[in-house]
Amino acid sequence: MKNLVLLLIVGLMASCTPEPIDIELPQAPSKIVVSSQYAYDTISQQNVLLVVLTKSFSALENNLPVIDSTGIHINPDLLVSGATVEVITPQETITLTEGDQGMYYAVNFSYVPNQLVKLVVKDAQNNVLTEATTGTTQTKDFEYVGLQQKGANKFLNYAIKDDPNTSNWYLVNYFTKQQKDSVPNYNDPRYIAKKLTEQDVSFDIYSDADFVNGTLTVEKNLGVYNYDTVVVAISEVTQSHYQFLTAQKRYGKFINQLRGEIINFPTNVKNGYGYFSANNPKVRILTFN
Amino acid sequence: MNPKIYLYLIVLLVFSNANAQTIKVDGFITDEKTGESLIGVSVYNAAKSTGTSSNAYGYFSLVLNKPDTICFSYMGYSLLKQYVTNEKTIRVQLVSSAAELKQVVVKANVNRTQLNGTQEVDLKLLNRLPVMGGEKDVIKAIQFIPGVKKGADGTASMLVRGGAHDQNLILLDDAPVYNPTHLLGFFSLFNADVIKDAKLQIGAFDAKYGGRLSSVLDIHTIDGDHNKFRVQAATGILSSKAAIQGPMLKGKGSYLIAGRVSYIDQVFKLVNKELPFFFYDFNAKFNYELSPSDKIYLSFYNGDDYLNASAADSNNQVRLSSKMGNQITSLRWNHAFANKKMFSNITVFNSKYRYELLGDFEGNKVAVNSYVEDLGVRNNWEHYINPKLNLSYGFELIEHRFNPNETKLTGSFNDNIKEKAASLSSITESAIYFQSFYKVSNRIQLNTGIRASNGSSNLNMNFEPRLALAYQLNQYNGFHLSYTRMNQYMFLLTGGSVVLPTDLWFAAKGNIKPQQADQITLKHELKYERLKLQSELYYKQMKNLIEYKEGTTEFIINEVEKLITQGNGEAYGYDFSVNYNIGKFSFNGAYSLSWAKRKFSDLNRGEAFYARFDRRHDLNLIVGYEFNQRIGITGVWSYATGSRFTPIIGQFMMPNGNYNNIDVLPIYTGRNAVQLSPSHRFDFNVVIKNKPGKSFETEWHVGVYNAYNQTQPFRIKMIKADDGRISYKQTGLFGLIPHVSFQIKL
């Protein structure tokens, strides 16, 4: 009898799922998104300033870029093409050339450290769509120490020297051959296990707080890495760029995505999103035996 | 006001009233049948010109100006009168009456407006309230008090006047409780069958309380029957429990032993669903009368929650298990002095909340252990100077010990989890306090108190004034004005979106400043025959509140200072309650209109934002009807404005830091800028008792939670329609849930 009552109740419990309630959430208006990169182009054998203009989109839209063997493909509706993009330095004003849709570049950009660079984006009627200002930085190098095997993992050892009397911020990129993640599935404990145990090699950022007596000693865990080459690029960046990268790095962390904590991304783009940067990286290709 | 001047004024007030000629009467008040001490019994003279109430140990002391009749009045008991001609100590035994069945939410002192802002939780109503699963829960009953908001639907959480979860001082037999819930917060750890008395203060705090900003919940358990061995047992769909109590040591003492165990995991298995949680708890209490003036009490609580979850396929296996719970012990000795003017209680306590997590990720193992522990001593004196003046003073000394996230790893893990050795730390919290309760005239009462507290290694004291003024306008109306300051030296670090039992307590030390709140209240109370109305305005300002910095990425917390940010908050609003009883019918209503705001320079781009549980309206209506002595029904309708959250309202693409992929990044609204839809539901509970006069008592409880199966919005889901359009839907945690439980007392 008791079991019968229990079954009845449990059955009723399981059957009573109320109807969900609709809710309208506000949607942010679409704005221009700026991203940029200053790098050495091996084809033209020149330093290239690349600016990419896209548009922000609704939270309800699924616009994940598609990656295949030919590259990264973005929804063309989100690319801002036909704009006039100018970069203004104390020495000159350069109008960038539009390459692919939404991509603008200048090959003749002369990099002068420690000055302000202004980006102006105009539409066909010469109306200013957005502006952004950033600073250029010194080119920095690092001292490679060696590669170390600890257990199953490889560790890259290097050091960065810094002037302890000035405030500096750094971005270090690692380019390794490694498998990219599959689609996240936070309901699957095995996905969680993978994210907790596999090493994630991406980029690191440093500030003065990480330095001891003007030296930063890094032991970078590359995880189980069976290849003979790692490309490392080091840049000094501005403080606000460092803050943007900090937010981006936090957002990319598995624990943050699991907890769903809020991150508001800082920006130097007027009435827009993203970050206009002009850091000049020193690229090193490290080959191991 | 300068603290020294303030202290001087209090001392002046005390000694200006210390020399009147009087008759002193004191004693203990107990239940005639069980010998249980009775808390809060109103004791007053025939003319009602002087009065007091029994304290937490049933002790009272009354000072009369001349030979007089003393009345002892207590809800559910027959009025007792005793003529006193000379100074004496008396033992008062009150006889339970048929009036026991009558319901009120808040019991007040019969003669005067309440001065201390205390809300007494009506345990008889608690027994009749409909609750999810039929598991009686004192905290869920407290959620019906205006000014107290619940967290998520069905949880036993308390958010008081714009405060956070960790701002409530919860005392079980004088020992603090750190995590007062079971089963991820859905049930409180207090076994309702062993609670004798529960009092809540949400403003006008007594000086003897401190260490939390927003509320004090003081719970005392049953001492145990002094005259007869008794057994009681209850079973429901989620848990079963049993208790025994009886006399010991030739009637000089008594004991209570109670246990409770849940089997919700087994219930879910019946419908092929997994809910791998269960809990148990255990209460024991012993008391012994050393002499007519001395009594000792030993209380013990232990309870644990267990989780055992796993996911596996042919190649991989992931296991997660946890054990978390409280262990609380308190030893109290109280002494009534021969001069009949003083009562002292000293409590030594230990309270520990600990959790263990074990994870096995395909052979890579992680073990995390954490605990917070208090070792403390508290000494309180009550001093009954004359009919106009009572004093309360004492001290408190607590060592808070912390061991957060001791982590051991076996196998391969990445930077998300790092090994961490045990890192024991502690702070000593100390306080001295003094409070006077002064009856200026028949219409005016004044409480002045001060608490000096310290929660750091230096000797700087933080002064916390406690002021309250009551004015009895006429027979029916009274007003009450109060100002209090509270300091909090510990905090619970919780995420913005969820509160978990694995959240950790930390000390406010180093660069972390203690939290502080100043609160002003103005209350009006109307009592007219069986009608009682209370309305209260409040304004609370909070400093040094603590939140995670934006974008927390840490799972194992090493340096808490780097993770948090401190800011300010304010809360204000209006709380209203009405209680009305006539014959078999009772009605209780509670309404809160409130605002709760925060401002942190590091959050929400420095702009002010609403707290997550800022809800403009909360309304609870409770209607009871007793058909006869055996059958009664209680229905509750609740309405609450939706909780706040921070949705993603847009997205944008940026190359990742390595320029080899693209991140899609979120655009949020302002922090907590959007509200869920309001929630409302109707619950009812029918109590069916056996015929009176039997040698045993039985009770059936049958009812329904969320009777019209309304969604109580808790989260947002994105739903993709057949035509590809995406929309948002709010879903809840629970729908209609019936309950049935059975209780027997021998």
Side-chain angles (χ1 to χ4, degrees), chain A residues 9-10 18-22 26-28 56-61 67 74 173-175 190 195-199 202 248 250 255-256 259 261-264, chain B residues 267 271 313 361 412 414-416 495-497 548 550-553 646 648-651 653 655 657-658 661 663 668 709 711 726 728-730 738 740:
Chain A
I9 288 165
V10 171
E19 277 294 307
I21 300 171
D22 289 333
Q27 293 299 314
S56 65
F57 51 96
S58 160
L60 290 170
E61 290 174 44
I67 304 169
I74 297 171
N173 300 107
Y174 307 92
F175 302 92
R190 286 161 293 184
K195 294 300 292 182
L196 290 175
T197 54
E198 287 187 0
Q199 192 59 41
S202 54
Q248 194 172 11
R250 282 182 169 176
I255 298 292
N256 175 264
R259 295 177 66 123
E261 291 281 341
I262 300 161
I263 295 183
N264 283 304
Chain B
V267 173
V271 287
D313 58 23
F361 304 102
S412 174
N414 61 20
D415 294 340
N416 282 310
S497 51
Y548 269 118
E550 285 186 354
T552 301
T553 57
T646 311
I648 294 173
I649 56 168
Q651 305 173 82
M653 287 181 285
N658 267 11
N661 203 340
D663 291 337
Y668 290 96
N709 199 31
T711 294
I726 299 173
Y728 294 111
K729 298 272 186 189
Q730 300 167 94
V740 59

Coordinates of all heavy atoms in Angstrom, one line a residue, chain A residues 9-10 18-22 26-28 56-61 67 74 173-175 190 195-199 202 248 250 255-256 259 261-264, chain B residues 267 271 313 361 412 414-416 495-497 548 550-553 646 648-651 653 655 657-658 661 663 668 709 711 726 728-730 738 740:
Chain A
I9 N 2.5 9.2 -6.2 CA 3.0 10.6 -5.9 C 4.2 10.9 -6.9 O 4.3 11.9 -7.5 CB 3.4 10.8 -4.5 CG1 2.1 10.8 -3.6 CG2 4.2 12.0 -4.2 CD1 2.4 10.6 -2.2
V10 N 5.1 9.9 -6.9 CA 6.3 10.2 -7.8 C 5.9 10.3 -9.2 O 6.4 11.1 -10.0 CB 7.3 9.0 -7.6 CG1 8.4 9.1 -8.6 CG2 7.8 9.1 -6.2
P18 N 5.4 22.5 -15.6 CA 4.6 23.7 -16.0 C 5.0 24.2 -17.4 O 6.2 24.0 -17.8 CB 4.8 24.7 -15.0 CG 5.6 24.1 -13.9 CD 6.2 22.9 -14.4
E19 N 4.1 24.8 -18.1 CA 4.4 25.4 -19.4 C 5.4 26.6 -19.2 O 5.3 27.4 -18.3 CB 3.2 26.0 -20.0 CG 2.3 25.0 -20.7 CD 3.0 24.5 -22.0 OE1 3.4 25.2 -22.8 OE2 3.1 23.2 -22.1
P20 N 6.5 26.6 -20.0 CA 7.4 27.7 -19.9 C 6.7 29.0 -20.3 O 5.7 29.0 -21.0 CB 8.5 27.4 -21.0 CG 8.3 25.9 -21.3 CD 6.9 25.6 -21.0
I21 N 7.3 30.1 -19.8 CA 6.7 31.4 -20.0 C 7.6 32.2 -21.0 O 8.8 32.2 -20.8 CB 6.6 32.2 -18.6 CG1 5.7 31.4 -17.7 CG2 6.1 33.6 -18.8 CD1 5.7 32.0 -16.2
D22 N 7.0 32.8 -21.9 CA 7.7 33.7 -22.9 C 8.4 34.9 -22.2 O 7.8 35.4 -21.2 CB 6.8 34.2 -24.0 CG 6.4 33.1 -24.9 OD1 7.1 32.1 -25.0 OD2 5.3 33.2 -25.5
P26 N 15.8 42.4 -24.3 CA 16.3 43.5 -25.2 C 17.5 43.0 -26.0 O 18.2 42.1 -25.6 CB 16.8 44.6 -24.2 CG 17.1 43.9 -22.9 CD 16.1 42.7 -22.9
Q27 N 17.6 43.5 -27.2 CA 18.8 43.2 -28.1 C 19.6 44.4 -28.4 O 19.1 45.5 -28.7 CB 18.2 42.5 -29.4 CG 17.6 41.2 -29.2 CD 18.5 40.1 -28.6 OE1 19.6 40.0 -29.0 NE2 18.0 39.4 -27.6
A28 N 20.9 44.2 -28.3 CA 21.8 45.4 -28.5 C 21.8 45.7 -30.0 O 21.8 44.8 -30.9 CB 23.2 45.0 -28.1
S56 N 28.5 43.8 -35.0 CA 27.9 43.0 -33.9 C 26.5 42.5 -34.3 O 25.9 43.1 -35.2 CB 27.9 43.7 -32.6 OG 26.9 44.8 -32.7
F57 N 26.1 41.4 -33.7 CA 24.8 40.8 -34.1 C 24.0 40.4 -32.8 O 24.5 40.4 -31.7 CB 25.0 39.7 -35.1 CG 26.0 38.7 -34.6 CD1 25.6 37.5 -34.0 CD2 27.4 38.9 -34.8 CE1 26.5 36.6 -33.6 CE2 28.3 37.9 -34.4 CZ 27.9 36.8 -33.8
S58 N 22.8 40.0 -33.1 CA 21.9 39.7 -32.0 C 22.3 38.4 -31.3 O 23.0 37.5 -31.8 CB 20.5 39.4 -32.6 OG 19.7 38.7 -31.7
A59 N 21.9 38.4 -30.0 CA 22.2 37.2 -29.2 C 21.5 36.0 -29.7 O 21.8 34.8 -29.4 CB 21.9 37.4 -27.7
L60 N 20.4 36.2 -30.5 CA 19.6 35.1 -31.0 C 20.2 34.5 -32.3 O 19.7 33.5 -32.7 CB 18.2 35.6 -31.2 CG 17.3 35.9 -30.0 CD1 16.1 36.6 -30.4 CD2 17.0 34.7 -29.2
E61 N 21.1 35.2 -32.9 CA 21.7 34.7 -34.1 C 22.9 33.7 -33.9 O 23.7 34.0 -33.0 CB 22.1 35.8 -35.0 CG 21.0 36.7 -35.6 CD 21.6 37.9 -36.3 OE1 22.5 37.8 -37.1 OE2 21.0 39.0 -36.1
I67 N 35.2 27.0 -39.9 CA 36.7 26.8 -40.2 C 36.8 25.5 -41.0 O 36.3 24.5 -40.6 CB 37.4 26.7 -38.9 CG1 37.2 27.9 -38.0 CG2 38.9 26.5 -39.2 CD1 37.7 27.7 -36.6
I74 N 33.4 33.8 -42.5 CA 32.5 34.6 -41.7 C 31.3 35.0 -42.5 O 31.4 35.2 -43.7 CB 33.2 35.9 -41.2 CG1 34.4 35.6 -40.3 CG2 32.2 36.8 -40.4 CD1 35.2 36.8 -39.9
N173 N 52.3 35.0 -27.8 CA 51.5 34.1 -28.6 C 52.3 32.8 -28.8 O 53.5 32.9 -29.0 CB 51.1 34.6 -29.9 CG 50.3 35.9 -29.8 OD1 50.7 37.0 -30.1 ND2 49.0 35.7 -29.3
Y174 N 51.6 31.7 -28.7 CA 52.3 30.4 -29.0 C 51.5 29.8 -30.2 O 50.3 29.6 -30.1 CB 52.2 29.4 -27.9 CG 52.8 30.1 -26.6 CD1 51.9 30.7 -25.7 CD2 54.1 30.0 -26.3 CE1 52.4 31.3 -24.5 CE2 54.6 30.5 -25.1 CZ 53.8 31.2 -24.3 OH 54.3 31.8 -23.1
F175 N 52.2 29.4 -31.2 CA 51.5 28.7 -32.3 C 52.0 27.3 -32.4 O 53.2 27.0 -32.6 CB 51.9 29.4 -33.7 CG 51.4 30.9 -33.6 CD1 52.3 31.9 -33.2 CD2 50.1 31.2 -34.0 CE1 51.9 33.2 -33.2 CE2 49.7 32.5 -33.9 CZ 50.6 33.5 -33.6
R190 N 32.3 14.0 -19.4 CA 33.5 13.6 -20.1 C 34.1 14.8 -20.8 O 35.3 15.0 -20.9 CB 33.2 12.5 -21.1 CG 33.0 11.2 -20.3 CD 32.3 10.2 -21.2 NE 31.0 10.6 -21.4 CZ 30.1 9.9 -22.1 NH1 30.4 8.8 -22.6 NH2 28.9 10.4 -22.2
K195 N 38.4 19.0 -20.5 CA 38.8 20.4 -20.3 C 39.7 20.6 -19.0 O 40.4 21.6 -18.9 CB 37.6 21.3 -20.2 CG 36.8 21.4 -21.5 CD 37.6 22.0 -22.7 CE 37.9 23.4 -22.5 NZ 38.7 23.9 -23.7
L196 N 39.5 19.7 -18.1 CA 40.3 19.8 -16.9 C 41.7 19.2 -17.0 O 42.6 19.5 -16.2 CB 39.6 19.2 -15.7 CG 38.3 20.0 -15.2 CD1 37.6 19.3 -14.1 CD2 38.7 21.4 -14.8
T197 N 41.8 18.2 -17.9 CA 43.0 17.4 -17.9 C 43.9 17.8 -19.1 O 45.1 17.6 -19.1 CB 42.7 15.9 -17.9 OG1 41.8 15.7 -19.0 CG2 42.1 15.5 -16.6
E198 N 43.4 18.2 -20.3 CA 44.2 18.5 -21.4 C 44.8 19.9 -21.4 O 44.1 20.8 -21.0 CB 43.4 18.3 -22.7 CG 43.1 16.9 -23.0 CD 42.5 16.7 -24.4 OE1 42.2 17.7 -25.0 OE2 42.2 15.5 -24.7
Q199 N 46.0 20.1 -21.7 CA 46.7 21.4 -21.6 C 46.2 22.3 -22.8 O 46.1 21.9 -23.9 CB 48.2 21.2 -21.7 CG 48.9 22.4 -21.4 CD 48.6 22.9 -19.9 OE1 48.5 22.1 -19.0 NE2 48.5 24.2 -19.8
S202 N 47.6 28.6 -25.6 CA 47.0 29.7 -26.4 C 48.0 30.9 -26.3 O 49.0 30.9 -26.9 CB 45.6 30.0 -26.0 OG 45.6 30.3 -24.6
Q248 N 39.4 38.8 -22.6 CA 39.3 37.8 -23.6 C 39.8 36.5 -23.2 O 39.3 35.4 -23.4 CB 40.0 38.2 -24.9 CG 39.6 37.4 -26.1 CD 40.1 38.0 -27.4 OE1 41.0 38.9 -27.4 NE2 39.7 37.4 -28.5
R250 N 40.1 35.5 -20.0 CA 39.2 35.0 -19.0 C 38.0 34.3 -19.6 O 37.5 33.3 -19.2 CB 38.7 36.1 -18.0 CG 39.8 36.5 -17.0 CD 39.2 37.5 -16.1 NE 40.1 37.7 -14.9 CZ 40.0 38.6 -14.0 NH1 38.9 39.5 -14.1 NH2 40.8 38.7 -13.0
I255 N 36.6 27.4 -16.9 CA 35.9 27.6 -15.6 C 34.9 28.8 -15.7 O 33.8 28.7 -15.2 CB 36.9 27.8 -14.5 CG1 37.8 26.6 -14.3 CG2 36.2 28.1 -13.1 CD1 37.1 25.3 -13.8
N256 N 35.4 29.8 -16.4 CA 34.5 31.0 -16.6 C 33.3 30.6 -17.4 O 32.1 31.0 -17.0 CB 35.2 32.1 -17.3 CG 34.3 33.3 -17.5 OD1 33.8 33.4 -18.6 ND2 34.1 34.1 -16.5
R259 N 30.9 28.6 -15.2 CA 30.2 29.4 -14.1 C 29.3 30.4 -14.7 O 28.4 30.9 -14.0 CB 31.2 30.0 -13.2 CG 32.1 29.0 -12.4 CD 33.1 29.8 -11.6 NE 32.5 30.6 -10.6 CZ 32.7 30.5 -9.3 NH1 33.6 29.6 -8.9 NH2 32.1 31.2 -8.5
E261 N 30.0 33.5 -15.4 CA 30.2 34.8 -14.8 C 30.3 35.9 -15.9 O 30.8 35.6 -17.0 CB 31.5 34.8 -14.0 CG 31.5 34.0 -12.8 CD 30.8 34.7 -11.6 OE1 30.6 35.9 -11.7 OE2 30.3 34.0 -10.7
I262 N 29.9 37.1 -15.6 CA 29.8 38.2 -16.6 C 31.2 38.7 -16.9 O 32.0 38.9 -15.9 CB 28.9 39.3 -16.0 CG1 27.5 38.8 -15.7 CG2 28.9 40.5 -16.9 CD1 26.8 39.7 -14.7
I263 N 31.4 39.0 -18.1 CA 32.6 39.8 -18.5 C 32.2 40.9 -19.4 O 31.6 40.7 -20.4 CB 33.7 38.9 -19.2 CG1 34.2 37.8 -18.2 CG2 34.8 39.8 -19.7 CD1 35.3 37.0 -18.8
N264 N 32.5 42.1 -19.0 CA 32.2 43.2 -19.9 C 33.6 43.6 -20.6 O 34.5 43.8 -19.9 CB 31.7 44.5 -19.1 CG 30.3 44.3 -18.7 OD1 29.4 44.1 -19.6 ND2 29.9 44.4 -17.5
Chain B
V267 N 13.6 7.6 -4.3 CA 12.3 8.0 -4.8 C 12.4 8.2 -6.3 O 11.6 7.8 -7.1 CB 11.7 9.2 -4.1 CG1 10.4 9.7 -4.8 CG2 11.4 8.8 -2.6
V271 N 11.1 6.4 -10.8 CA 10.6 6.8 -12.1 C 11.8 6.9 -13.0 O 11.8 7.7 -14.0 CB 9.9 8.2 -12.0 CG1 8.6 8.1 -11.3 CG2 10.8 9.2 -11.2
D313 N 31.1 5.5 -20.5 CA 30.8 4.7 -21.7 C 31.9 3.6 -21.7 O 32.6 3.4 -20.7 CB 30.8 5.6 -23.0 CG 32.1 6.3 -23.2 OD1 33.1 5.8 -22.7 OD2 32.1 7.3 -23.9
F361 N 38.5 11.6 -13.2 CA 38.3 11.9 -14.6 C 39.2 11.0 -15.4 O 40.4 11.3 -15.7 CB 38.7 13.4 -14.9 CG 37.9 14.4 -14.1 CD1 38.5 15.0 -13.0 CD2 36.6 14.7 -14.3 CE1 37.8 15.9 -12.2 CE2 35.9 15.5 -13.5 CZ 36.5 16.1 -12.4
S412 N 47.2 13.6 -14.6 CA 47.5 14.8 -15.4 C 46.3 15.8 -15.4 O 45.2 15.4 -15.7 CB 47.8 14.3 -16.9 OG 48.0 15.5 -17.7
N414 N 45.4 20.2 -16.2 CA 46.0 21.4 -16.8 C 45.9 22.6 -15.8 O 45.7 22.3 -14.6 CB 45.2 21.8 -18.1 CG 43.7 22.0 -17.9 OD1 43.3 22.2 -16.8 ND2 43.0 21.9 -18.9
D415 N 46.1 23.8 -16.3 CA 46.1 24.9 -15.4 C 44.8 25.3 -14.8 O 44.8 26.2 -13.9 CB 46.7 26.2 -16.2 CG 48.1 26.0 -16.6 OD1 48.8 25.1 -16.1 OD2 48.5 26.7 -17.6
N416 N 43.7 24.7 -15.2 CA 42.4 25.0 -14.5 C 42.4 24.5 -13.1 O 41.7 25.1 -12.3 CB 41.3 24.3 -15.3 CG 41.0 25.1 -16.6 OD1 40.8 26.3 -16.5 ND2 40.9 24.4 -17.7
G495 N 29.3 33.0 -6.4 CA 29.2 33.5 -7.8 C 28.0 34.3 -7.9 O 27.1 34.2 -7.1
G496 N 27.9 35.1 -9.0 CA 26.7 35.9 -9.2 C 25.5 35.1 -9.5 O 24.4 35.6 -9.3
S497 N 25.7 34.0 -10.2 CA 24.5 33.3 -10.7 C 24.0 32.2 -9.8 O 22.8 31.9 -9.8 CB 24.9 32.8 -12.1 OG 26.0 32.0 -12.0
Y548 N 32.8 38.8 -6.5 CA 33.9 38.4 -7.4 C 34.1 39.5 -8.4 O 33.2 40.2 -8.9 CB 33.4 37.2 -8.2 CG 33.8 35.9 -7.6 CD1 32.8 35.0 -7.3 CD2 35.1 35.5 -7.5 CE1 33.1 33.7 -6.8 CE2 35.4 34.2 -7.0 CZ 34.4 33.4 -6.6 OH 34.7 32.1 -6.1
E550 N 34.8 40.7 -12.2 CA 34.2 40.2 -13.4 C 35.1 39.1 -14.1 O 36.3 39.2 -14.1 CB 34.0 41.3 -14.4 CG 32.8 42.2 -14.0 CD 32.5 43.3 -15.1 OE1 33.2 43.3 -16.1 OE2 31.5 44.0 -14.9
G551 N 34.4 38.1 -14.5 CA 35.1 37.1 -15.3 C 36.0 36.2 -14.5 O 37.1 35.9 -14.9
T552 N 35.5 35.7 -13.4 CA 36.2 34.8 -12.5 C 36.5 33.5 -13.3 O 35.7 32.9 -13.9 CB 35.4 34.5 -11.3 OG1 35.2 35.7 -10.6 CG2 36.2 33.5 -10.3
T553 N 37.8 33.1 -13.2 CA 38.2 31.9 -13.9 C 38.7 30.8 -12.9 O 39.1 29.7 -13.3 CB 39.3 32.2 -14.9 OG1 40.4 32.8 -14.2 CG2 38.8 33.1 -15.9
T646 N 21.5 39.0 -15.7 CA 22.3 39.8 -16.7 C 22.3 39.0 -18.0 O 23.2 38.1 -18.2 CB 23.7 40.1 -16.2 OG1 23.6 40.6 -14.8 CG2 24.4 41.1 -17.1
I648 N 22.8 38.1 -22.1 CA 23.6 38.4 -23.2 C 22.6 39.0 -24.3 O 21.6 38.3 -24.6 CB 24.3 37.2 -23.8 CG1 25.3 36.7 -22.8 CG2 25.0 37.5 -25.1 CD1 26.0 35.4 -23.2
I649 N 22.8 40.2 -24.7 CA 21.9 40.8 -25.7 C 22.5 41.0 -27.0 O 21.9 41.6 -27.9 CB 21.4 42.2 -25.1 CG1 22.6 43.1 -24.8 CG2 20.5 41.9 -23.9 CD1 22.1 44.5 -24.5
G650 N 23.7 40.6 -27.2 CA 24.4 40.7 -28.5 C 25.7 40.0 -28.5 O 26.1 39.4 -27.5
Q651 N 26.3 39.9 -29.7 CA 27.6 39.2 -29.8 C 28.4 39.9 -30.8 O 27.9 40.6 -31.7 CB 27.3 37.8 -30.3 CG 26.3 37.0 -29.5 CD 26.0 35.6 -30.1 OE1 26.7 34.7 -30.0 NE2 24.9 35.6 -30.8
M653 N 32.5 39.4 -33.0 CA 33.6 38.5 -33.3 C 34.9 39.2 -33.2 O 35.0 40.4 -33.6 CB 33.5 37.9 -34.7 CG 32.3 36.9 -34.8 SD 32.2 36.2 -36.5 CE 31.5 37.5 -37.3
P655 N 39.3 38.2 -33.4 CA 40.3 37.1 -33.5 C 40.8 36.7 -32.0 O 40.8 37.6 -31.2 CB 41.5 37.7 -34.2 CG 41.0 39.0 -34.7 CD 39.7 39.4 -34.0
G657 N 43.6 35.6 -29.2 CA 44.9 36.2 -28.9 C 45.9 35.6 -29.8 O 47.0 36.3 -30.0
N658 N 45.7 34.5 -30.5 CA 46.7 33.9 -31.4 C 46.4 34.2 -32.8 O 47.2 33.7 -33.7 CB 46.8 32.4 -31.1 CG 47.9 32.1 -30.1 OD1 48.4 33.0 -29.5 ND2 48.2 30.8 -30.0
N661 N 42.1 31.8 -34.8 CA 40.7 31.4 -34.7 C 39.9 32.7 -34.3 O 40.5 33.7 -34.0 CB 40.5 30.3 -33.6 CG 39.2 29.5 -33.9 OD1 38.3 30.0 -34.6 ND2 39.1 28.3 -33.3
D663 N 37.0 34.3 -31.8 CA 36.1 34.1 -30.6 C 34.8 34.9 -30.9 O 34.9 36.0 -31.4 CB 36.8 34.7 -29.4 CG 37.9 33.9 -28.9 OD1 38.0 32.7 -29.2 OD2 38.8 34.4 -28.2
Y668 N 26.7 42.1 -22.9 CA 25.7 42.0 -21.8 C 24.9 43.3 -21.6 O 25.4 44.4 -22.0 CB 26.4 41.7 -20.5 CG 27.0 40.4 -20.4 CD1 28.4 40.2 -20.7 CD2 26.2 39.3 -20.0 CE1 28.9 38.9 -20.6 CE2 26.8 38.0 -19.9 CZ 28.1 37.8 -20.2 OH 28.7 36.6 -20.1
N709 N 0.0 24.6 -10.8 CA 1.1 24.2 -11.7 C 1.7 25.4 -12.5 O 1.8 25.3 -13.7 CB 0.6 23.1 -12.6 CG 1.8 22.3 -13.2 OD1 2.8 22.1 -12.6 ND2 1.6 21.8 -14.5
T711 N 4.6 28.0 -13.6 CA 6.0 28.1 -13.7 C 6.5 29.2 -12.8 O 6.0 30.3 -12.8 CB 6.5 28.4 -15.1 OG1 6.1 27.3 -16.0 CG2 8.0 28.7 -15.2
I726 N 14.4 31.6 -33.2 CA 14.8 31.3 -31.9 C 14.1 32.3 -30.9 O 13.9 33.4 -31.2 CB 16.3 31.4 -31.7 CG1 17.0 30.4 -32.6 CG2 16.8 31.3 -30.3 CD1 18.5 30.6 -32.7
Y728 N 13.1 33.1 -26.5 CA 13.5 32.8 -25.1 C 12.2 32.3 -24.3 O 11.1 32.9 -24.5 CB 14.0 34.1 -24.4 CG 15.3 34.6 -25.0 CD1 15.3 35.8 -25.7 CD2 16.5 34.0 -24.8 CE1 16.5 36.3 -26.2 CE2 17.7 34.5 -25.3 CZ 17.7 35.6 -26.0 OH 18.8 36.1 -26.5
K729 N 12.5 31.4 -23.5 CA 11.4 30.9 -22.6 C 12.0 30.8 -21.2 O 13.1 30.4 -21.0 CB 11.0 29.5 -23.0 CG 10.4 29.4 -24.4 CD 8.9 29.6 -24.4 CE 8.3 29.4 -25.8 NZ 6.9 29.8 -25.9
Q730 N 11.1 31.1 -20.2 CA 11.5 31.0 -18.8 C 11.0 29.6 -18.3 O 9.8 29.3 -18.5 CB 10.9 32.1 -18.0 CG 11.3 33.5 -18.4 CD 10.4 34.5 -17.8 OE1 10.8 35.1 -16.8 NE2 9.3 34.8 -18.4
P738 N 2.5 17.1 -5.1 CA 1.7 16.7 -3.9 C 2.6 16.2 -2.8 O 3.7 15.8 -3.0 CB 0.8 15.6 -4.5 CG 1.6 15.0 -5.6 CD 2.5 16.1 -6.1
V740 N 2.4 13.9 1.1 CA 1.7 13.2 2.2 C 2.8 12.8 3.2 O 3.9 12.3 2.9 CB 0.9 12.0 1.7 CG1 1.8 11.0 1.0 CG2 0.1 11.4 2.8

